[in-house]
Amino acid sequence: MQEAGYRRTVEELITLYEVEPEVRDVFVEGRSDRNFLREYLSDGSEVTLCAVYDISDRVEIPDSELLNAGLLVGKRGRVIWLAQELARRIPGHSSALLVADKDFASLGADPKDEIHGLLYTDFSSMEAYALNNRTLSKLLRVAIGAPDYVTPASLISAIKPALLCLFVLRLCLRESGTQAVIPAKILSKWDLDDNSEAKIKEVFRLSLDKVPRGERNGKTPDSLLAEYLSYREKVVGEFRDYINGHDVSLAIVRFLKSECAHVFNSDARRPLQSPVVLELVMMSCIENGHLDDAPMFQTLRRWARS
């Protein structure tokens, strides 16, 4: 057995699967996803049906390989690249499943190709599975102790416009090729009730201000706003297809602070003001029974049990 933290080359991984075809591995984009799926794939007796890995912890994939394949550098690109390599080198294999967030595929900006062994989340991100009445009820009542007038329905209604706005904002900045991002200070104080064009244009201005003028690729707040409005018209149907996962907990914290800030007064709940902490608690509130109805999780469990 390899030591903890050992990262295999792709050649080593392929050799392993050829020599030991009974091995079953799942590769995901991050450690939070890894922990989440390990729990889902447990058989109830603390035994996991297969190994689950954060791809960056387990496989050595140089950035150059992603660029040569026309993929964005990042964990999603690594998951897709490895799926392509395994499908090409070991056709029809059953050794690995690779799980990638759908991300911006709902707006045609990210690939969602059919590749053997590759699964995409049913929604844009793993965190979107938490946006249902049962999970949010557990979060509000058990974890946070929110008053009864704060309901899952009122929470979703309040945060949905901001989540959609942020999703398209992030896409426009990514596609601009400027490396511009929404300033953290803007995100931490996001007004859920103001998703106006004037605010969006101002966010683009503040984001571009962090980029040297010569690296802005001719992008301006006005040009980015025009692109935003074009993409925004394409946002239709299931709103969970248009959500950046880490924005969910951020928006929930903003909502709770406006509706019932007193819930964070106790020592026990004060840490939940951190979106990172709240996200971990929120994901732990998801019940396996609700995931069993999701196509991606149905496929994952069938494969693991086989």
Short mmCIF file of all heavy atoms in Angstrom, two decimals, residues 255-289:
data_model
loop_
_atom_site.label_atom_id
_atom_site.label_comp_id
_atom_site.label_asym_id
_atom_site.label_seq_id
_atom_site.Cartn_x
_atom_site.Cartn_y
_atom_site.Cartn_z
N PHE A 255 -28.66 36.53 4.52
CA PHE A 255 -30.10 36.50 4.79
C PHE A 255 -30.37 36.43 6.29
O PHE A 255 -31.20 37.17 6.83
CB PHE A 255 -30.72 35.29 4.09
CG PHE A 255 -32.15 35.03 4.47
CD1 PHE A 255 -33.18 35.81 3.99
CD2 PHE A 255 -32.47 33.98 5.33
CE1 PHE A 255 -34.50 35.57 4.35
CE2 PHE A 255 -33.77 33.73 5.70
CZ PHE A 255 -34.80 34.52 5.21
N LEU A 256 -29.68 35.54 6.98
CA LEU A 256 -29.91 35.37 8.41
C LEU A 256 -29.53 36.63 9.19
O LEU A 256 -30.21 36.99 10.16
CB LEU A 256 -29.12 34.17 8.92
CG LEU A 256 -29.58 32.80 8.42
CD1 LEU A 256 -28.61 31.72 8.86
CD2 LEU A 256 -30.98 32.48 8.92
N LYS A 257 -28.48 37.30 8.79
CA LYS A 257 -28.08 38.51 9.48
C LYS A 257 -29.11 39.63 9.31
O LYS A 257 -29.24 40.50 10.17
CB LYS A 257 -26.71 38.97 9.00
CG LYS A 257 -25.57 38.12 9.54
CD LYS A 257 -24.22 38.71 9.23
CE LYS A 257 -23.10 37.95 9.92
NZ LYS A 257 -21.78 38.53 9.67
N SER A 258 -29.84 39.59 8.20
CA SER A 258 -30.86 40.62 7.98
C SER A 258 -32.19 40.27 8.64
O SER A 258 -32.95 41.16 9.02
CB SER A 258 -31.08 40.84 6.48
OG SER A 258 -31.68 39.69 5.88
N GLU A 259 -32.47 38.97 8.78
CA GLU A 259 -33.76 38.53 9.30
C GLU A 259 -33.75 38.21 10.79
O GLU A 259 -34.72 38.46 11.50
CB GLU A 259 -34.23 37.29 8.53
CG GLU A 259 -34.60 37.56 7.09
CD GLU A 259 -35.82 38.44 6.96
OE1 GLU A 259 -36.82 38.19 7.67
OE2 GLU A 259 -35.77 39.40 6.16
N CYS A 260 -32.67 37.64 11.27
CA CYS A 260 -32.63 37.19 12.68
C CYS A 260 -31.18 37.10 13.14
O CYS A 260 -30.69 36.02 13.48
CB CYS A 260 -33.33 35.84 12.82
SG CYS A 260 -32.76 34.57 11.66
N ALA A 261 -30.51 38.23 13.14
CA ALA A 261 -29.09 38.26 13.48
C ALA A 261 -28.80 37.71 14.87
O ALA A 261 -27.69 37.24 15.14
CB ALA A 261 -28.56 39.69 13.37
N HIS A 262 -29.80 37.71 15.73
CA HIS A 262 -29.58 37.24 17.11
C HIS A 262 -29.19 35.77 17.18
O HIS A 262 -28.64 35.33 18.19
CB HIS A 262 -30.85 37.46 17.95
CG HIS A 262 -32.01 36.63 17.52
ND1 HIS A 262 -32.86 37.01 16.49
CD2 HIS A 262 -32.46 35.42 17.95
CE1 HIS A 262 -33.79 36.07 16.33
NE2 HIS A 262 -33.57 35.11 17.19
N VAL A 263 -29.47 34.98 16.12
CA VAL A 263 -29.14 33.55 16.18
C VAL A 263 -27.63 33.34 16.28
O VAL A 263 -27.18 32.27 16.70
CB VAL A 263 -29.69 32.79 14.95
CG1 VAL A 263 -31.20 32.88 14.89
CG2 VAL A 263 -29.06 33.29 13.65
N PHE A 264 -26.84 34.35 15.91
CA PHE A 264 -25.39 34.21 15.97
C PHE A 264 -24.81 34.73 17.29
O PHE A 264 -23.59 34.81 17.44
CB PHE A 264 -24.74 34.96 14.80
CG PHE A 264 -25.09 34.41 13.45
CD1 PHE A 264 -25.70 35.22 12.49
CD2 PHE A 264 -24.82 33.09 13.12
CE1 PHE A 264 -26.02 34.72 11.24
CE2 PHE A 264 -25.14 32.59 11.87
CZ PHE A 264 -25.75 33.41 10.92
N ASN A 265 -25.66 35.11 18.22
CA ASN A 265 -25.17 35.71 19.46
C ASN A 265 -24.53 34.70 20.41
O ASN A 265 -23.64 35.04 21.18
CB ASN A 265 -26.31 36.43 20.20
CG ASN A 265 -26.71 37.72 19.48
OD1 ASN A 265 -25.97 38.23 18.65
ND2 ASN A 265 -27.89 38.23 19.80
N SER A 266 -24.98 33.46 20.37
CA SER A 266 -24.44 32.47 21.31
C SER A 266 -23.05 32.02 20.87
O SER A 266 -22.71 32.04 19.69
CB SER A 266 -25.37 31.26 21.38
OG SER A 266 -25.31 30.50 20.19
N ASP A 267 -22.25 31.62 21.85
CA ASP A 267 -20.90 31.15 21.55
C ASP A 267 -20.92 29.94 20.61
O ASP A 267 -20.05 29.80 19.76
CB ASP A 267 -20.18 30.76 22.85
CG ASP A 267 -19.86 31.97 23.72
OD1 ASP A 267 -19.84 33.10 23.17
OD2 ASP A 267 -19.63 31.79 24.93
N ALA A 268 -21.92 29.08 20.79
CA ALA A 268 -21.99 27.86 19.99
C ALA A 268 -22.26 28.15 18.52
O ALA A 268 -21.76 27.45 17.63
CB ALA A 268 -23.08 26.93 20.54
N ARG A 269 -23.07 29.20 18.24
CA ARG A 269 -23.47 29.46 16.86
C ARG A 269 -22.71 30.61 16.20
O ARG A 269 -22.87 30.84 15.00
CB ARG A 269 -24.98 29.72 16.81
CG ARG A 269 -25.80 28.48 17.17
CD ARG A 269 -27.27 28.69 16.86
NE ARG A 269 -28.01 27.42 16.98
CZ ARG A 269 -28.75 27.09 18.02
NH1 ARG A 269 -28.85 27.91 19.06
NH2 ARG A 269 -29.39 25.93 18.04
N ARG A 270 -21.90 31.32 16.96
CA ARG A 270 -21.15 32.44 16.38
C ARG A 270 -20.27 32.01 15.21
O ARG A 270 -20.17 32.73 14.21
CB ARG A 270 -20.33 33.12 17.47
CG ARG A 270 -19.79 34.49 17.05
CD ARG A 270 -19.27 35.28 18.25
NE ARG A 270 -20.37 35.64 19.16
CZ ARG A 270 -20.45 35.25 20.43
NH1 ARG A 270 -19.51 34.48 20.95
NH2 ARG A 270 -21.46 35.62 21.18
N PRO A 271 -19.62 30.84 15.27
CA PRO A 271 -18.79 30.42 14.13
C PRO A 271 -19.58 30.22 12.83
O PRO A 271 -18.99 30.25 11.74
CB PRO A 271 -18.19 29.09 14.60
CG PRO A 271 -18.21 29.17 16.10
CD PRO A 271 -19.47 29.93 16.42
N LEU A 272 -20.90 30.03 12.93
CA LEU A 272 -21.70 29.81 11.73
C LEU A 272 -21.84 31.07 10.88
O LEU A 272 -22.35 31.01 9.76
CB LEU A 272 -23.09 29.29 12.11
CG LEU A 272 -23.12 27.91 12.79
CD1 LEU A 272 -24.55 27.53 13.16
CD2 LEU A 272 -22.50 26.85 11.90
N GLN A 273 -21.38 32.21 11.40
CA GLN A 273 -21.36 33.43 10.60
C GLN A 273 -20.35 33.31 9.45
O GLN A 273 -20.43 34.07 8.49
CB GLN A 273 -20.99 34.62 11.47
CG GLN A 273 -22.02 34.99 12.51
CD GLN A 273 -21.57 36.19 13.33
OE1 GLN A 273 -21.87 37.32 12.99
NE2 GLN A 273 -20.84 35.91 14.40
N SER A 274 -19.41 32.41 9.59
CA SER A 274 -18.44 32.18 8.52
C SER A 274 -19.08 31.31 7.44
O SER A 274 -19.51 30.19 7.73
CB SER A 274 -17.19 31.48 9.07
OG SER A 274 -16.43 30.95 8.01
N PRO A 275 -19.18 31.79 6.19
CA PRO A 275 -19.79 30.98 5.13
C PRO A 275 -19.11 29.62 4.96
O PRO A 275 -19.78 28.63 4.64
CB PRO A 275 -19.62 31.85 3.88
CG PRO A 275 -19.63 33.25 4.42
CD PRO A 275 -18.88 33.16 5.73
N VAL A 276 -17.80 29.57 5.20
CA VAL A 276 -17.08 28.29 5.05
C VAL A 276 -17.58 27.28 6.08
O VAL A 276 -17.82 26.11 5.77
CB VAL A 276 -15.56 28.51 5.20
CG1 VAL A 276 -14.84 27.16 5.16
CG2 VAL A 276 -15.04 29.41 4.09
N VAL A 277 -17.76 27.74 7.32
CA VAL A 277 -18.25 26.86 8.37
C VAL A 277 -19.70 26.48 8.11
O VAL A 277 -20.09 25.31 8.23
CB VAL A 277 -18.11 27.55 9.75
CG1 VAL A 277 -18.73 26.68 10.84
CG2 VAL A 277 -16.65 27.83 10.06
N LEU A 278 -20.51 27.46 7.74
CA LEU A 278 -21.93 27.18 7.49
C LEU A 278 -22.10 26.18 6.36
O LEU A 278 -22.98 25.31 6.41
CB LEU A 278 -22.68 28.47 7.17
CG LEU A 278 -24.19 28.30 7.03
CD1 LEU A 278 -24.82 28.08 8.40
CD2 LEU A 278 -24.83 29.49 6.33
N GLU A 279 -21.26 26.27 5.35
CA GLU A 279 -21.35 25.34 4.22
C GLU A 279 -21.13 23.90 4.68
O GLU A 279 -21.85 22.99 4.25
CB GLU A 279 -20.32 25.71 3.15
CG GLU A 279 -20.36 24.80 1.93
CD GLU A 279 -19.35 25.21 0.88
OE1 GLU A 279 -19.41 26.38 0.44
OE2 GLU A 279 -18.51 24.37 0.50
N LEU A 280 -20.14 23.68 5.54
CA LEU A 280 -19.89 22.34 6.06
C LEU A 280 -21.10 21.81 6.83
O LEU A 280 -21.49 20.65 6.67
CB LEU A 280 -18.66 22.33 6.95
CG LEU A 280 -17.32 22.64 6.27
CD1 LEU A 280 -16.21 22.75 7.31
CD2 LEU A 280 -16.98 21.56 5.25
N VAL A 281 -21.69 22.66 7.65
CA VAL A 281 -22.87 22.25 8.42
C VAL A 281 -24.04 21.98 7.49
O VAL A 281 -24.77 21.00 7.64
CB VAL A 281 -23.23 23.33 9.46
CG1 VAL A 281 -24.53 22.98 10.18
CG2 VAL A 281 -22.09 23.50 10.47
N MET A 282 -24.23 22.85 6.51
CA MET A 282 -25.33 22.69 5.56
C MET A 282 -25.24 21.36 4.81
O MET A 282 -26.24 20.64 4.69
CB MET A 282 -25.32 23.85 4.56
CG MET A 282 -26.38 23.77 3.47
SD MET A 282 -26.23 25.13 2.28
CE MET A 282 -24.71 24.65 1.40
N MET A 283 -24.06 21.02 4.33
CA MET A 283 -23.91 19.78 3.57
C MET A 283 -24.13 18.56 4.46
O MET A 283 -24.60 17.52 4.00
CB MET A 283 -22.53 19.73 2.92
CG MET A 283 -22.29 20.82 1.89
SD MET A 283 -23.51 20.84 0.55
CE MET A 283 -23.02 19.37 -0.36
N SER A 284 -23.80 18.68 5.76
CA SER A 284 -24.02 17.56 6.67
C SER A 284 -25.50 17.36 6.98
O SER A 284 -25.88 16.33 7.52
CB SER A 284 -23.23 17.77 7.97
OG SER A 284 -23.78 18.82 8.74
N CYS A 285 -26.33 18.35 6.64
CA CYS A 285 -27.77 18.24 6.87
C CYS A 285 -28.49 17.50 5.75
O CYS A 285 -29.68 17.17 5.88
CB CYS A 285 -28.39 19.63 7.04
SG CYS A 285 -27.97 20.47 8.58
N ILE A 286 -27.81 17.24 4.65
CA ILE A 286 -28.44 16.54 3.53
C ILE A 286 -28.61 15.07 3.89
O ILE A 286 -27.67 14.41 4.33
CB ILE A 286 -27.61 16.66 2.24
CG1 ILE A 286 -27.47 18.13 1.83
CG2 ILE A 286 -28.24 15.86 1.10
CD1 ILE A 286 -26.58 18.34 0.62
N GLU A 287 -29.80 14.55 3.70
CA GLU A 287 -30.08 13.15 4.01
C GLU A 287 -29.89 12.28 2.77
O GLU A 287 -30.28 12.66 1.66
CB GLU A 287 -31.51 13.01 4.54
CG GLU A 287 -31.75 13.76 5.84
CD GLU A 287 -33.18 13.66 6.32
OE1 GLU A 287 -34.00 13.03 5.61
OE2 GLU A 287 -33.48 14.20 7.40
N ASN A 288 -29.31 11.10 2.98
CA ASN A 288 -29.06 10.20 1.85
C ASN A 288 -30.34 9.87 1.09
O ASN A 288 -30.32 9.68 -0.13
CB ASN A 288 -28.39 8.92 2.34
CG ASN A 288 -26.92 9.11 2.65
OD1 ASN A 288 -26.38 10.21 2.48
ND2 ASN A 288 -26.27 8.07 3.13
N GLY A 289 -31.45 9.79 1.80
CA GLY A 289 -32.70 9.45 1.14
C GLY A 289 -33.10 10.43 0.07
O GLY A 289 -33.70 10.04 -0.94
#
